[in-house]
Amino acid sequence: MDRTRLIAVGNVLRSDDGVAHHVLELLGPVEGVVSEWRTQLTPELAVEIAPADVVVIIDADSHAEDASLERIRAGGGRGSAFAHTLTAEELIGLAERLYAFHGAAYVCHVPARDFSTGDQLSPIARQAAVKAVELLRRLPR
Amino acid sequence: MGERILISPVTRIEGHARVSVYVSDSGEVESAQFHVTEFRGFEKFCEGRPFHEMPGLMSRICGICPVSHILASSKAGDMLLGAEVPVAAVKQRRLVNYAQILQSHALSFFHLSSPDLILGMDSDPARRNLFGLLDTDAEFARRGIRLRQFGQRIIELTGGKRIHPSWSVPGGVLKALTVKDRDEMICWIPEAFSTLGRALDTLKERLDHFREEVEYIGRFPSLFLGTAGRDGGLEFYDGVIRIVDAEGNIVADGLDPVRYHTFLGEASEEWSFMKLPYYKPLGYPGGMYRVGPLARCNIARAAGTPGADRELREFKQRAAGAVCHSFHYHLARLVEMMHCIERIEELMEDRDLLGENIRANAGLNRLEGIGSCEAPRGTLFHHYHVDPNGLLKKANLLIATAQNNLAINKAVEQTARRFVQPARLAEGMLNRVEAAIRCYDPCLSCSTHALGQMPLVVEIRRASGELIETVRRR
């Protein structure tokens, strides 16, 4: 079974918002790792990540100065704001409570600055993607 | 001097919106308005692009119902080609449309509306969400997620991606369905029926706890519009437009969706970016009509599948004429979900679904193309004009949520009048106003062709417009 799951989040038609997708392309196939790209985090993902030992959600971050990996814990919901999408913490919370997920979860923050319509990355996002790949390669599997 | 209450942002809907409640000098609700405050202008965005790119581009309008936009856009492209779409492609498109309606309705019912229905309108707002539902009935939440996953999986297996698949194109589809993928779909069906049966039982039992809400959250006479089969049955992909009134009388039938602009008008108001479509013969705003599950269940003579027929008969007994209660959008959604699962099961037995002739070969033969289908939230029209090179000169999209705009405003006003007491404002009162909006499961990203989530703001204003209080919801 593939024990590490990488989920790239973002819209590749909104410039740097799609940087996580670029990270997966740079990383390429890795044995024992399932990688996928999503526009947003949705509830049914909780079922799919549940068997994994390690889950990493890779996302563009407009505030980040450098690529980083942050260990996250399950979150319990944002008041009444549960809409069509989930935060990473909520996704992990759903996976733990409904599907017995017991693995480690991380968010890989990738600096992003330009969210305008387009399919090109800014220099900042492009450089950060390389650093993010290095971080992901060092992940325990 | 009167006041205005503003609910902003409205929660558990898609897009950005605001509700204004106007309060009289005597402290009573005078009127209310639902404002859509985002704008993107997708129609302009697509000008100059080749028409064959439209299904892929238009699907980006929405992450919840991209399939509807792909199908309406592909059908507009079919018309531009003037070609007959192969039967295997039509069956695939039908399959994915059922899956799309199933997954979207599952999201609306289990994730967005069940917190109100199971935990109660006045329950702690910090817990009135899917996570609160987990504490009360984890199995119900778990099954809801799986049912949506079923719909998403069909879309993924057929279209290649669960969100924004671009497999449907003018003239057909790009990929034949394999036996292996079809067989995986079959495995999900028993669980889907079981989950839906439980959801129907739960909702019918819970409706007894919401008698006041059923009566006063958006119960009013209106027209109902939707696509019907040639036999008058429930139809989501291809048929004729039928309109019934509040008494259930057929006002118009057999209308060609390609001629939508001859019977539907589009008004606009300065207080909203969302258009206000109306039925032309009755003018604006008298020609208010509703679309979506409630409308489809009102216009359809029958569903055409045994389980949904049984549920539809029971549904129709809830009123002497048409069912005019906005609250029953929830029940209508479940009737349609039953129909979708039954139709999916039928298609699994259909050998045409696996056919390999999937795309007509044709060039541009017309300069104007119109495509329509039933999206989860109602009837969807895509209308394109192209130049002789096939480049888009003009696009007009008539979106389901926009067609419900007049009705949503009516529902908001009625609900505010009944439940909101400006002198002692309580969260549960405002939640009922939001619940009125959620009955329609509006997708404002679609209806304004904009990006975004949908938080809502409620403002309380004097009749003069002076702001008294603002309530913001994340």
Side-chain angles (χ1 to χ4, degrees), chain B residues 404-420:
Chain B
N404 277 331
N405 197 0
L406 280 169
I408 292 172
N409 272 279
K410 180 96 176 164
V412 162
E413 180 169 308
Q414 188 186 56
T415 308
R417 281 174 184 268
R418 176 72 186 188
F419 293 102
V420 174

Side-chain angles (χ1 to χ4, degrees), chain A:
Chain A
M1 182 180 290
D2 298 313
R3 308 304 299 188
T4 299
R5 188 120 188 171
L6 305 183
I7 302 165
V9 183
N11 183 346
V12 292
L13 295 180
R14 302 287 287 193
S15 301
D16 288 357
D17 194 43
V19 69
H21 188 237
H22 183 59
V23 169
L24 286 191
E25 284 181 340
L26 289 177
L27 181 66
V30 179
E31 190 180 343
V33 175
V34 173
S35 302
E36 63 181 311
W37 167 70
R38 296 295 183 93
T39 309
Q40 58 198 21
L41 299 176
T42 50
E44 63 277 3
L45 256 179
V47 190
E48 296 167 24
I49 65 172
D53 290 329
V54 178
V55 173
V56 185
I57 293 151
I58 310 163
D59 201 0
D61 188 331
S62 59
H63 301 296
E65 294 295 329
D66 200 2
S68 63
L69 268 178
E70 179 195 5
R71 179 81 187 260
I72 58 166
R73 308 283 173 196
R78 299 167 295 174
S80 62
F82 190 84
H84 293 162
T85 61
L86 295 172
T87 64
E89 289 82 0
E90 287 169 336
L91 176 66
I92 299 305
L94 266 188
E96 280 188 9
R97 293 180 64 183
L98 286 180
Y99 305 106
F101 170 69
H102 293 303
Y106 301 85
V107 170
C108 179
H109 300 276
V110 189
R113 296 293 181 270
D114 177 10
F115 294 89
S116 59
T117 304
D119 58 5
Q120 300 298 309
L121 297 176
S122 68
I124 290 174
R126 192 169 290 280
Q127 286 172 15
V130 175
K131 171 80 181 296
V133 169
E134 290 170 13
L135 294 172
L136 293 171
R137 286 206 170 112
R138 281 189 239 136
L139 260 180
R141 287 195 295 277

Side-chain angles (χ1 to χ4, degrees), chain B residues 10 21 54 81 86 89 104 130 138 164 166 170 245 315 385 415 465:
Chain B
V10 176
V21 180
M54 284 304 107
L81 297 178
S104 178
L130 186 60
H164 303 141
S166 46
D245 65 17
F315 172 88
H385 292 269
T415 308

Side-chain angles (χ1 to χ4, degrees), chain B residues 30-317:
Chain B
E30 262 189 359
S31 64
Q33 278 178 336
F34 176 63
H35 316 262
V36 176
T37 55
E38 64 183 15
F39 177 74
R40 188 173 171 204
F42 221 88
E43 288 140 325
K44 294 300 286 180
F45 181 77
C46 290
E47 285 180 6
R49 305 302 307 172
F51 77 93
H52 57 78
E53 286 185 359
M54 284 304 107
L57 272 175
M58 290 296 185
S59 78
R60 300 286 170 159
I61 290 174
C62 184
I64 303 302
C65 52
V67 167
S68 307
H69 289 288
I70 293 167
L71 293 184
S73 184
S74 296
K75 289 178 74 177
D78 297 341
M79 188 173 165
L80 291 170
L81 297 178
E84 186 175 347
V85 179
V87 66
V90 171
K91 296 278 170 77
Q92 276 198 32
R93 288 179 179 181
R94 283 184 176 276
L95 172 68
V96 174
N97 203 27
Y98 291 129
Q100 149 89 356
I101 289 172
L102 181 63
Q103 68 86 15
S104 178
H105 283 2
L107 182 73
S108 171
F109 180 74
F110 287 97
H111 302 174
L112 307 183
S113 294
S114 285
D116 288 336
L117 298 169
I118 306 245
L119 304 173
M121 293 280 179
D122 297 303
S123 60
D124 177 4
R127 288 189 64 252
R128 200 175 53 228
N129 52 47
L130 186 60
F131 289 88
L133 202 57
L134 294 186
D135 296 334
T136 307
D137 192 342
E139 181 60 17
F140 188 80
R142 186 182 292 118
R143 282 170 168 265
I145 288 172
R146 288 270 301 171
L147 188 59
R148 179 166 192 245
Q149 193 184 15
F150 173 40
Q152 296 277 61
R153 187 68 181 143
I154 291 177
I155 295 169
E156 186 174 23
L157 288 170
T158 312
K161 284 196 293 186
R162 71 185 68 185
I163 299 175
H164 303 141
S166 46
W167 104 112
S168 181
V169 292
V173 299
L174 293 175
K175 182 171 85 70
L177 187 66
T178 66
V179 172
K180 178 173 172 284
D181 289 345
R182 191 271 317 265
D183 289 350
E184 184 190 327
M185 296 173 194
I186 291 172
C187 296
W188 287 79
I189 291 174
E191 181 185 336
F193 275 125
S194 166
T195 297
L196 196 65
R198 180 168 172 185
L200 278 161
D201 290 344
T202 301
L203 178 58
K204 288 174 191 172
E205 185 270 321
R206 293 300 298 168
L207 283 176
D208 285 341
H209 300 267
F210 292 93
R211 286 185 181 157
E212 190 179 9
E213 284 82 1
V214 169
E215 287 303 310
Y216 295 102
I217 288 187
R219 181 190 178 189
F220 51 85
S222 74
L223 299 175
F224 296 93
L225 179 148
T227 306
R230 310 279 165 188
D231 60 354
L234 205 54
E235 171 60 46
F236 297 152
Y237 177 74
D238 198 23
V240 294
I241 300 295
R242 171 180 279 187
I243 301 171
V244 303
D245 65 17
E247 282 73 46
N249 304 308
I250 295 176
V251 173
D253 200 5
L255 299 173
D256 185 348
V258 164
R259 297 177 54 76
Y260 78 96
H261 50 286
T262 65
F263 55 87
L264 298 180
E266 297 179 65
S268 59
E269 296 280 2
E270 62 180 20
W271 43 265
S272 178
F273 279 128
M274 191 156 69
K275 296 171 189 172
L276 296 114
Y278 59 97
Y279 180 53
K280 269 187 181 173
L282 296 185
Y284 174 79
M288 173 180 67
Y289 64 94
R290 286 185 263 186
V291 296
L294 186 73
R296 290 188 290 247
C297 285
N298 275 326
I299 66 148
R301 205 159 29 224
T305 55
D309 268 331
R310 188 177 61 245
E311 295 299 334
L312 186 60
R313 277 195 298 274
E314 192 179 320
F315 172 88
K316 286 178 179 289
Q317 286 168 6

